[in-house]
């Protein structure tokens, strides 16, 4: 029988009462927690074979992070990104408001570096974030075949940057080769068994890590006076390395801000070592006419002749004569030339009119040798004094300046670089910076920068064989390095028992002006070294890592414009024979090795098929040099 409406109402009421009564008698159950929202992630993929950048926001606090994978394996764990300014915190409580992508394809040429011609292909993604208060920040990310980079863009003024949240978190098993930080970037690199084993402290922004996903070199690019140079900070036992601007000082900001690139050069060891990623990230050249920019080897007279040579026209003429005989295009006159005779800290007030430098320049030109000179940076701080020095040197015919003792990466000092770079370009003066920052893309934007120190070079006394074998994978990856090799007469060099190893450094280390630091007497006592150095080209068309292990060994081949390959190798440890793959190309090659023999340097020819290995003997903590050219029947030498 159908239930009438009134009866249905009574039944429902009784059921409701019964359920309520039952619920009241049951023990209370805790409400099931809501499942946490998954991390929101976005991938950035580059050309085929590139690493993948993964940008994410933590749903718990809205903090952004960036990770890097290659071939499904971890290069960089999710690592904090973000900034904190005086007026806004861009390290947490962020919301993504948009994303845009584009492809970057460029070709450019540079007079210095691992190669003259460069091809760039990257994917760029701009992630637009907003804080709860409406402040905006863009995270600009780029991915290329050899690296991942990011930078911050603040479209509005939010005051000075108080700190960066940026950090690099590596897998716990990552093996670092890292250098403690100092203002001149000259401390040695040390290899550790794991990232967590690195002592607490500050470290240079040029640290190499071996990870399960390949090698990763932390670097920086496009640093100007709008920001300060940065270094890494580390807490003992942690696999994370934070990023901190100079001296942890606030970065002064007025208006919009675009920070330098934070970069991870990554791939196998060859990819990292041969990479030009930090140059590729930098702005295009600001020098239109580059015809006056000419790299090449130079005879550097500081270690060869000391202070006395710096104040002697006759001594400098003898060095010019020796450079001319070797066909070296430059001679570099170091400190002393503008001081009062016999004094080393007093500038001659009549240096413009009572100076022998114009005579030396004339003497050199007659013999095909151009002159470069040393200057203390303090002479170039005041705009009026700067113009006086640079215009005078240009009028005399000096071709380059070696500027020394900046010894800072503060925002103020980086602003000075912004002033000196266009000023030297205006006066057609090539530049070698000493006591300086490291390249960070500067040589693409300002191609008249031939080289920078930022390394404990040949004149220092604290180098080790391990340091020689670390530099090709760290400092020299990111730009020209003025190590000043070739000082055979120096008793303090770490490979003092291997003249062949010292000779190999002139190729192993790339520098737009390769300042050769030996004495004429030391070269004459080593005719095979002299013969090799006489053939050094003015630049390189291609660079290849043949074999190596960071901090233990390195063998590099560099192709000259005439098609010949110059090879340099260094090894830390016991004497041994090493097998070096000749990855020079197809065909048959004549390889002339220069090694250490019982009575001096020994040159020996070898005929090798491309891709085959050549066995080379090296002495303890030594190395070798070699020259390779295409072989044909009857050819016994690679001499040009």
């Amino acid at each position: 029988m159908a239930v009438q409406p009134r009866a249905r109402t009574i039944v429902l009421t009784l059921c409701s009462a019964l359920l309520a009564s039952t619920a009241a008698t049951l023990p209370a159950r805790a409400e099931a927690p809501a499942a946490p929202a998954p991390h929101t992630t976005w991938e950035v993929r580059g050309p085929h074979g590139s690493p993948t950048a993964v940008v994410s926001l933590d749903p718990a606090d809205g903090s952004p992070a960036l990770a890097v994978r290659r071939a499904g394996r971890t290069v960089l764990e999710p690592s904090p990104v973000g900034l904190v300014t005086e007026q806004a915190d861009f390290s947490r409580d962020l919301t993504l408001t948009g994303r845009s992508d584009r492809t970057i394809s460029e070709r450019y040429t540079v007079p210095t570096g691992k190669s003259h011609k460069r091809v760039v292909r990257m994917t760029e993604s701009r992630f637009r974030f907003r804080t709860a208060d409406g402040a905006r920040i863009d995270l600009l990310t780029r991915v290329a075949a050899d690296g991942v980079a990011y930078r911050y863009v603040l479209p509005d003024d939010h005051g000075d940057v108080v700190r960066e949240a940026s950090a690099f978190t590596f897998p716990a098993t990552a093996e670092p080769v890292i250098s403690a930080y100092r203002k001149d970037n000259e401390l040695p690199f040390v290899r550790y068994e794991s990232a967590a084993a690195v002592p607490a402290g500050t470290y240079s922004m040029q640290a190499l890590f071996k990870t399960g996903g390949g090698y990763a070199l932390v670097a920086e690019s496009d640093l100007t006076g709008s920001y300060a140079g940065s270094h890494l900070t580390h807490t003992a036992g942690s696999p994370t390395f934070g990023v901190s601007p100079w001296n942890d000082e606030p970065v002064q900001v007025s208006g919009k801000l675009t920070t330098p690139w934070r970069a991870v050069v990554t791939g196998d060891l060859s990819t990292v070592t041969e990479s030009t990623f930090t140059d590729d990230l930098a702005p295009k050249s600001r020098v239109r006419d580059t015809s006056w920019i000419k790299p090449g080897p130079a005879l550097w007279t500081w270690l060869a002749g000391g202070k006395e040579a710096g104040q002697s026209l006759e001594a400098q003429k003898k060095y010019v004569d020796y450079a001319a005989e070797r066909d070296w295009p430059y001679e570099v006159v170091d400190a002393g030339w503008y001081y009062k005779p016999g004094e080393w800290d007093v500038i001659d007030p009549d240096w413009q009119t009572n100076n022998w430098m114009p005579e030396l320049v004339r003497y050199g030109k007659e013999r095909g040798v151009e002159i470069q000179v040393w200057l203390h940076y303090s002479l170039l701080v005041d705009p009026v004094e700067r113009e006086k020095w640079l215009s005078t040197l240009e009028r005399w015919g000096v071709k380059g300046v070696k500027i020394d003792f900046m010894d800072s990466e503060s925002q103020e000092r980086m602003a000075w670089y912004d002033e000196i770079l266009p000023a030297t370009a205006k006066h057609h003066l090539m530049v070698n910076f000493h006591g300086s920052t490291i390249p960070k893309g500067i040589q693409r934007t300002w191609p008249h920068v031939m080289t920078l120190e930022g390394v404990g070079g040949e004149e220092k006394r604290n180098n080790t064989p391990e340091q020689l074998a670390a530099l090709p994978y760290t400092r020299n990856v990111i730009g020209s390095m003025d190590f000043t090799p070739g000082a055979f007469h120096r008793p303090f060099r770490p490979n003092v028992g291997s003249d062949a190893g010292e000779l190999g450094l002139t190729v192993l280390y790339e520098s737009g002006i390769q300042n050769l630091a030996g004495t004429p007497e030391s070269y004459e006592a080593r005719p095979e070294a002299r013969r090799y150095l006489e053939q050094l080209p003015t630049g390189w068309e291609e660079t290849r890592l043949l074999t190596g292990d960071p901090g233990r060994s390195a063998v590099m081949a560099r192709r000259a414009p005439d098609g010949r390959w110059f090879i340099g190798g260094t090894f830390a440890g016991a004497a041994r024979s090493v097998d070096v793959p000749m990855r020079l190309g197809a065909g048959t090659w004549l390889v002339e090795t220069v090694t250490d023999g019982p009575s001096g340097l020994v040159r020996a020819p070898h005929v090798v098929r491309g891709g085959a290995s050549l066995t080379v003997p090296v002495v303890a903590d030594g190395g070798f040099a070699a020259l390779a050219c295409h072989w044909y029947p009857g050819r016994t030498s690679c001499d040009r």
Side-chain angles (χ1 to χ4, degrees):
M1 180 176 67
V3 178
Q4 297 301 316
R6 175 177 170 80
R8 184 183 296 115
T9 302
I10 295 172
V11 171
L12 291 175
T13 302
L14 290 172
C15 289
S16 298
L18 179 60
L19 289 172
S21 174
T22 304
T25 61
L26 292 175
R29 290 195 308 172
E31 184 177 344
H39 275 62
T40 304
T41 62
W42 305 270
E43 291 188 348
V44 184
R45 297 178 179 271
H48 178 71
S50 299
T52 299
V54 183
V55 176
S56 62
L57 276 182
D58 189 327
D61 62 5
S63 60
L66 183 141
V68 178
R69 298 197 308 261
R70 179 182 284 276
R73 306 188 71 179
T74 299
V75 175
L76 189 70
E77 300 279 4
S79 302
V81 294
L83 291 174
V84 178
T85 72
E86 290 178 315
Q87 302 169 12
D89 185 346
F90 295 106
S91 67
R92 61 193 306 272
D93 296 328
L94 298 185
T95 302
L96 181 72
T97 63
R99 171 183 176 174
S100 58
D101 303 286
R102 70 182 181 116
T103 298
I104 298 173
S105 297
E106 297 175 338
R107 294 178 181 270
Y108 67 96
T109 60
V110 287
T112 59
K114 303 168 192 176
S115 60
H116 288 147
K117 298 179 181 179
R118 311 283 178 84
V119 178
V120 180
R121 184 172 175 81
M122 302 182 188
T123 297
E124 179 184 278
S125 294
R126 182 184 291 266
F127 295 91
R128 298 176 179 86
F129 294 104
R130 186 184 300 273
T131 69
D133 296 330
R136 297 178 299 160
I137 186 172
D138 292 351
L139 178 68
L140 202 60
T141 306
R142 287 186 180 178
V143 176
D146 53 348
V148 171
Y150 67 89
R151 73 193 318 176
Y152 309 109
V153 179
L154 298 182
D156 303 303
D157 189 344
H158 295 286
D160 295 348
V161 174
V162 176
R163 65 177 179 87
E164 281 197 35
S166 314
F168 300 93
T169 300
F170 290 93
T173 56
E175 300 174 23
V177 179
I178 193 168
S179 169
Y181 181 69
R182 197 171 69 183
K183 61 185 181 180
D184 56 8
N185 293 287
E186 293 185 8
L187 294 179
F189 287 87
V190 179
R191 179 168 171 164
Y192 294 92
E193 62 182 15
S194 70
V198 177
T202 58
Y203 294 88
S204 176
M205 283 284 288
Q206 45 178 334
L208 180 72
F209 295 82
K210 182 181 180 181
T211 76
Y215 283 87
L217 178 69
V218 172
E220 189 174 31
S221 183
D222 192 16
L223 172 62
T224 69
S226 65
Y227 215 75
S230 297
H231 56 266
L232 300 176
T233 60
H234 181 63
T235 301
S238 171
T240 298
F241 293 79
V243 176
S244 180
W246 170 262
N247 277 356
D248 297 320
E249 298 172 355
V251 175
Q252 298 179 8
V253 179
S254 178
K256 301 178 181 180
L257 172 67
T258 299
T259 70
W261 290 103
R262 306 300 179 218
V264 178
V265 186
T266 185
D268 61 21
L269 194 56
S270 294
T271 298
V272 171
T273 308
E274 299 165 15
S275 172
T276 60
F277 188 52
T278 52
D279 283 345
D280 299 343
L281 290 167
K284 297 178 181 179
S285 173
R286 292 183 57 185
V287 181
R288 291 187 177 181
D289 175 19
T290 59
S291 61
W292 54 276
I293 303 173
K294 298 178 180 179
L299 177 57
W300 178 47
T301 65
W302 182 253
L303 291 189
K307 294 181 178 180
E308 291 73 18
Q311 293 196 331
S312 170
L313 173 61
E314 292 310 310
Q316 294 298 332
K317 283 184 175 181
K318 291 180 181 179
Y319 290 124
V320 165
D321 291 339
Y322 195 78
E325 292 170 3
R326 310 280 80 75
D327 201 25
W328 294 334
Y330 298 107
E331 190 231 355
V332 178
V333 183
D334 216 278
W337 67 271
Y338 57 77
Y339 293 138
K340 284 186 176 181
E343 299 191 51
W344 288 95
D345 57 357
V346 180
I347 297 175
D348 188 337
D350 299 322
W351 70 269
Q352 285 181 290
T353 57
N354 184 28
N355 198 289
W356 46 261
M357 188 57 67
E359 167 62 17
L360 181 65
V361 172
R362 181 198 62 78
Y363 186 86
K365 281 185 179 295
E366 292 175 351
R367 289 154 180 80
V369 178
E370 304 283 5
I371 303 300
Q372 301 185 31
V373 300
W374 180 92
L375 292 173
H376 196 289
Y377 104 96
S378 60
L379 303 174
L380 306 173
V381 174
D382 177 77
V384 175
E385 285 297 303
R386 180 193 307 140
E387 178 61 23
K388 180 174 71 175
W389 282 91
L390 299 183
S391 61
T392 300
L393 294 177
E394 181 186 27
R395 186 176 71 252
W396 287 351
V398 170
K399 292 301 179 182
V401 286
K402 176 181 176 181
I403 307 175
D404 206 345
F405 290 114
M406 286 73 70
D407 286 339
S408 172
E409 293 182 314
S410 67
Q411 188 175 11
E412 178 185 17
R413 197 57 44 81
M414 299 317 300
W416 173 84
Y417 280 98
D418 292 345
E419 296 175 355
I420 195 64
L421 288 164
T424 47
K426 168 188 170 184
H427 291 290
H428 289 183
L429 292 167
M430 297 182 294
V431 181
N432 172 0
F433 287 119
H434 264 234
S436 66
T437 185
I438 50 182
K440 303 185 182 185
I442 194 174
Q443 290 179 282
R444 179 184 182 184
T445 309
W446 298 101
H448 66 300
V449 176
M450 293 287 94
T451 189
L452 298 89
E453 191 180 27
V455 67
E458 195 82 285
E459 62 182 307
K460 305 301 186 296
R461 302 188 181 190
N462 62 343
N463 279 317
T464 63
E466 291 76 16
Q467 170 77 340
L468 299 184
L471 292 173
Y473 309 102
T474 50
R475 166 62 184 83
N476 211 190
V477 171
I478 58 175
S480 293
M481 178 180 76
D482 193 18
F483 188 85
T484 66
F488 296 101
H489 63 295
R490 290 281 285 179
F492 310 109
R493 57 187 177 92
N495 57 8
V496 68
S498 177
D499 287 345
E502 185 67 27
L503 183 62
L505 297 184
T506 63
V507 173
L508 185 64
Y509 298 155
E510 184 277 321
S511 182
I513 297 294
Q514 188 64 285
N515 282 288
L516 302 172
T519 63
E521 294 77 14
S522 69
Y523 295 138
E524 290 304 304
R526 298 164 178 82
E528 289 298 342
R530 183 191 64 203
R531 174 180 174 276
Y532 190 86
L533 295 175
E534 288 172 350
Q535 301 189 67
L536 288 178
T538 58
W540 307 111
E541 300 299 329
E542 186 179 358
T543 293
R544 293 183 185 176
L545 176 68
L546 299 185
T547 189
D549 185 11
R552 295 171 182 168
S553 63
V555 181
M556 200 85 75
R558 303 187 191 272
R559 180 166 60 87
D562 61 13
R564 298 182 300 168
W565 287 88
F566 288 72
I567 303 171
T570 192
F571 298 82
R576 57 197 184 274
S577 292
V578 296
D579 293 329
V580 180
M582 292 290 110
R583 299 193 307 110
L584 308 178
T588 304
W589 295 85
L590 173 63
V591 182
E592 294 184 89
T593 58
V594 182
T595 57
D596 295 293
S599 302
L601 294 173
V602 176
R603 175 164 51 100
H606 312 267
V607 177
V608 184
R609 295 286 298 177
S613 291
L614 176 65
T615 301
V616 182
V618 294
V619 300
D621 294 331
F624 73 98
L627 181 58
C629 57
H630 283 289
W631 178 84
Y632 50 79
R635 185 169 194 176
T636 59
S637 173
C638 288
D639 285 356
R640 58 189 173 190

